[in-house]
Amino acid sequence: MKKLLSMVGLVMLMASCSEDYTDWALPQTNPEEAAKTVEMTVKPVADIDLATAPDSVQLFTPEVVVADEAVSSYTVNLTTNPASDAVVTLVADAQGRVASADLQAAVVQLYGAKPDKRSVALEVVCLTAVGSQTFKNVGTTTVNITPKAPHISDNYYVVGATYDWAESAKTKVQKFSHSATNVYDDPIFTITIKASQGDTWFAIGDDEALDAITNNGDWSKLLGTTGGNGNQSMTGSLAARSELSDDGSICMPGSLGADFFKITLNMMEYTYTIEPIIVASQYYLVGAAQGWNSDRASGMTCMFTPESKSVVSYTTKWTGDHNLKIWSFDDFGDWGKCYGALTDGDASASGALTNSNSGAIVCPEGDAFYTITLNFSTMTYTWTKLDNQAPTEYTNISLIGEFNGWGGDFELKQVAPHNWHAVFVQENAGMLKYRANHDWSVNWGFGSDGDWNVADAINKIGTNGGGNIYVPAGTYDVYLNDITNSMLFVAQ
């Protein structure tokens, strides 16, 4: 009996469990989720003037419609209107705001810095995360934006320096140079002014400021340094005198020993940089004419003829690629301090000189005789073609004098067409001359015997049959140009 009852109980138990039985071997399922959608529209905003804008601005107004709570992020592709290939991408916050500085940079990149109202096309990309899903929506609009920029005049002038202040304001004689590019795209102005005897004092002004001085005696519109009146720093910031506590005149001390000052203005930033220029008497050509030799020991073979304190020249037949640059004696061999053209390969008849990232100057015509003249007071160069394109050729140029008993020749080497050079050792002081082809029919001297002592001046223009040249004992770089008759003795 006990065994039977046990079996009955088991059967009854199994029967009661079968009423809500689930087959757990079947796959599990979840209730079907409702489909989710995200919609985004972009509304335009009012015109933006970045000159008066706060740190961030509303670039667009987004409207996002989503079934559940979501997180959206925005990037904005900005381009010109009508659209160009140039695109600038910014990140916006959830309200469609961007940093004003970033927007300023974007507009300048697309349109330039001129503070005109610009129509900017916007493509707004919205990424919305809803649960495990991400939705992308794109909207477009346009907005008018005026970039922030300071006032920049077309012309600027130096007032003062070596000129009477009022007179220089009236005549506008010291005008800065500027490119033909719009001043907001190229805000750089440059000028080289002559240094005064002693300290050089000056200020800067535009046409309005100089006219106010001349017509009304109003000096308040001149630009001065924010560093204080008499500031001697080579760099600084500018502001109108009306905004300063003093005149703000700039002072370059005479102790610098400068012959000229090069002044560079960046009027987008209202800053200035001043470079003292000491005009050396010795400048050297480097280029095709002398094999682009930058070695001080062997490359200083083509010396420019000094014509004045600030003007030098070189005459030859410009062969090969007829390219050149210029070094001063102190900087010879330092490519970072070469004088040359603003644009590499400039073959213009004249141009501006620079020693900052200078390019090669090119003679306007290859295989022709030209003189290049450098003017360091105006920082310019000029090419002049010789009328005589077939000057007399000489086989030899030599020195003859007391050092060899007037009975032999010390040879110079032709280092460029019609330009001769040698290193000459004068053991004892005495007289000498140059001559051509080992003959007296063509010889170069100066004045009467002894009128030129090379210790007093390094160069003279020789004449055929001129007086003997007095040369103290020493070692010299000796040069002669047989076209211009330029004679140079440079003590080592």
Side-chain angles (χ1 to χ4, degrees), residues 48-54 57 99-105 107 145-149:
I48 300 171
D49 185 350
L50 289 169
T52 57
V57 292
S100 296
D102 293 341
L103 185 58
Q104 166 80 12
V107 176
I145 305 173
T146 303
K148 177 182 179 180

Side-chain angles (χ1 to χ4, degrees), residues 401-457:
E402 293 178 339
F403 70 92
N404 59 7
W406 299 97
D409 293 275
F410 177 84
E411 303 292 343
L412 277 67
K413 178 183 178 181
Q414 188 168 207
V415 292
H418 295 266
N419 287 268
W420 306 78
H421 168 262
V423 176
F424 172 67
V425 179
Q426 177 82 313
E427 304 243 353
N428 301 294
M431 300 286 194
L432 55 74
K433 297 186 80 171
Y434 296 85
R435 69 175 181 172
N437 297 337
H438 301 165
D439 187 82
W440 287 106
S441 59
V442 178
N443 66 89
W444 289 269
F446 179 80
S448 300
D449 289 350
D451 279 355
W452 180 23
N453 181 339
V454 301
D456 300 329

